[in-house]
Amino acid sequence: LEEIAEYCIQRKNKVNPKKFFDFYESSGWVDSKGNKVKNWKQKIITWERNNQQRNNKSNKGQEIEYELLN
């Protein structure tokens, strides 16, 4: 967990290290396709990308809502 937290700080991302660790720890460090996680740093990068995509979708909804209100 400490290594994960340190890596997230280095990358200045918005990934919650505890949430990431707990997610993979609960699955025995197996991904959604049933493959053993070989490179957790790559998984962090995937979580970053997924967070960005979620934020982009959320921001688009806010922009549309703002436009409708004005």
Side-chain angles (χ1 to χ4, degrees):
L1 179 56
E2 289 177 24
E3 283 183 72
I4 294 167
E6 188 175 311
Y7 188 66
C8 288
I9 290 168
Q10 286 175 351
R11 293 190 55 81
K12 299 178 183 173
N13 62 28
K14 305 238 189 253
V15 173
N16 180 325
K18 176 83 169 118
K19 193 173 186 178
F20 176 87
F21 178 83
D22 288 345
F23 178 84
Y24 282 106
E25 186 71 13
S26 68
S27 70
W29 291 90
V30 174
D31 68 15
S32 61
K33 295 179 182 176
N35 300 317
K36 183 176 179 180
V37 174
K38 294 179 183 177
N39 184 346
W40 62 265
K41 289 181 179 181
Q42 183 58 47
K43 293 294 184 187
I44 291 280
I45 293 168
T46 301
W47 276 47
E48 288 175 16
R49 196 173 330 130
N50 290 341
N51 282 345
Q52 288 173 344
Q53 289 173 350
R54 274 188 231 109
N55 288 339
N56 288 342
K57 287 180 183 178
S58 175
N59 290 340
K60 285 181 184 177
Q62 290 173 352
E63 291 170 8
I64 292 169
E65 183 177 320
Y66 178 77
E67 289 173 8
L68 292 173
L69 292 173
N70 289 321

